[in-house]
Every structure is written in C-alpha cells, then in structure tokens.
Amino acid sequence: MTTPVIIVEGLRKRFGDVEVLKGVDLEVAGREVVCVIGPSGSGKSTLLRCINRLEEPTSGRIVVGGVEVTGPKVDIDRVRTSLGMVFQQFNLFPHKTALGNVTLALRTVLKLERAAADARGRAMLDRVGLAGREASYPSQLSGGQQQRVAIARALAMEPTVMLFDEVTSALDPELVGEVLGVMRDLAEAGMTMVVVTHEMGFARTVADRVVFVDGGVVVEQGPPSEVIGNPSQARTRAFLSKVL
C-alpha cells in the first residue's frame, strides 16, 4: 500500500475556550478527491487551514508528502509550494492583471524569470478557460472568472495537492458551475484534492470519498453513494435532510 499524501492524526485546535477540532484523523491518497461536508462551524475550514499551517494546531500531527508539517524544524514555506489553496474570497490584487496575479509568486517565491513566469501563467489561465483575459484586471472579471484566476494562481506553483475552502459560496448561483467545471477537470486529470463544500451534487459525482464533519469530529466517511446516498449516522442524515 502506498503512503498517503496527507496524514492527519489526533488533530485538535482550540480558539480560547472553544475546541473547534477534537481529535481528527484523516488520510488522503495520491490522486484521491476527498470532499469534506458538514454544517457551518463544524471545523471543516479550520481543518484545511491546519493542514497548511495557516492555523497552528493545538496538538496532533500532520504529514504532507512525507514532510511533517507540524514538526518543529519544518520549512513551511517550502511545504506550501506543494500545497495549493483556494479560498472562499478570491484574494486577488486589484491593481494587477489576471496574469500579474498568477505570476507574482512565480517570480517572488520560485524566482522564475519574467518570460518563464509569464509563459506558465498564460498556460494556467488557459487551463481554467481564461485564455485571452490575461490583461484584464479583477474589476473587469466576473466573480466566477476571478475565482478561476485564483485557481490558476495556485496551479501555477505546480502543487501536488489542492485544497479548496468553500470556493463557490461567495459566487452568484449562475457562476458556480464554471468554477466547479474547472475543479472537475482537475479531478479527472488526477490532482489530489481536499474540497470543503456545500455543493452536494459535486461531492456526489466527483468525490472518491466524502467525509462528514460535525462538532469538530469525523462522524462518518466513505464513498458518496454511502455517505450521501445512504448515511449510517443520524447526525449525517439530519444534516443531509436540510441541504438536499
């Protein structure tokens, strides 16, 4: 059996007196698409943010690509180059073009020459369906297009894992499909993905595994046909009855 790309063991995260994660265990295999679902405030986004150390775990162990992210001597900036993350908010620089947003980290972090960075940036924008919009500023793009720029920016770093945190929740309903389409293409291309989402249709059709989180713990997990189609836990059934 191959070693999982992501290993989370006994992860706990406390904010003051509130324990948001209460001993989460999770493994993600290479090329696997894992959708994390659950009610608001259940700890889903905190789990993602702990994986790339945007939040400091209170206790527990996280390993990504064989590197212990929670280790005392870890070079977290190096780890993050292999961990692409896309957020609910697009976080684009308004004064930079689409291409400028995608290539900024390529030049400042990876130290690529401008020509090489621009070539990779154009290829990534093409990959998310934005060829021809390289010179557009965020204000000239729809929300869906801005989110696709954010995905292209993460892909440009050539990560081995992509983390998506509610990336469609800030979009108008008619724009959701274009972003989910890009994510479907990534899944079909074999990208390892952990997706926090409320889009049950996407989870049902694209995920290899669905993980239901509630109250800071993993309540159940398994294939979408089981967790969404025939959940074994009452908490899962109650949640799905409200969102389906």
Side-chain angles (χ1 to χ4, degrees):
M1 180 177 174
T2 57
T3 302
V5 175
I6 299 175
I7 301 171
V8 177
E9 296 177 344
L11 178 62
R12 293 180 178 272
K13 175 60 182 176
R14 180 183 293 276
F15 293 98
D17 294 333
V18 179
E19 191 171 38
V20 177
L21 297 176
K22 303 174 182 177
V24 171
D25 296 314
L26 180 68
E27 293 188 353
V28 180
R31 304 174 68 90
E32 186 179 21
V33 178
V34 174
C35 281
V36 182
I37 65 172
S40 297
S42 59
K44 308 182 302 295
S45 294
T46 301
L47 169 62
L48 279 199
R49 293 173 66 86
C50 283
I51 289 174
N52 69 358
R53 287 272 301 276
L54 286 175
E55 295 290 354
E56 198 67 30
T58 302
S59 62
R61 181 170 174 265
I62 301 170
V63 179
V64 177
V67 178
E68 187 172 346
V69 176
T70 45
K73 296 182 179 180
V74 67
D75 183 346
I76 193 60
D77 291 331
R78 178 179 290 274
V79 172
R80 285 183 183 140
T81 63
S82 67
L83 267 176
M85 185 157 181
V86 185
F87 301 86
Q88 176 178 336
Q89 303 300 330
F90 319 129
N91 297 328
L92 300 179
F93 290 105
H95 63 287
K96 290 188 176 294
T97 63
L99 184 62
N101 270 281
V102 173
T103 59
L104 180 62
L106 296 179
R107 294 189 286 110
T108 59
V109 178
L110 298 188
K111 308 298 183 184
L112 294 188
E113 297 289 343
R114 181 177 291 275
D118 284 356
R120 189 186 294 187
R122 291 177 189 278
M124 292 302 107
L125 286 168
D126 182 38
R127 186 173 181 182
V128 300
L130 290 176
R133 301 307 301 266
E134 295 89 351
S136 299
Y137 289 89
S139 62
Q140 299 170 314
L141 300 171
S142 70
Q145 290 171 328
Q146 290 183 61
Q147 191 60 289
R148 285 187 280 155
V149 172
I151 293 172
R153 176 178 57 189
L155 289 174
M157 300 296 284
E158 299 183 340
T160 56
V161 177
M162 286 286 286
L163 308 175
F164 293 91
D165 187 11
E166 301 278 18
V167 297
T168 60
S169 60
L171 299 177
D172 292 333
E174 68 268 21
L175 301 177
V176 169
E178 64 188 62
V179 174
L180 294 180
V182 170
M183 295 167 65
R184 281 191 180 90
D185 291 344
L186 291 177
E188 290 173 4
M191 175 65 73
T192 306
M193 296 164 54
V194 183
V195 183
V196 169
T197 185
H198 285 299
E199 299 290 341
M200 293 301 132
F202 177 87
R204 192 191 296 269
T205 58
V206 179
D208 298 301
R209 182 158 44 106
V210 173
V211 177
F212 175 64
V213 176
D214 190 19
V217 299
V218 174
V219 176
E220 72 175 293
Q221 59 179 303
S225 59
E226 294 178 8
V227 176
I228 298 177
N230 187 27
S232 63
Q233 299 297 314
R235 287 161 73 181
T236 315
R237 291 194 293 271
F239 168 74
L240 291 170
S241 70
K242 297 175 182 176
V243 299
L244 292 178

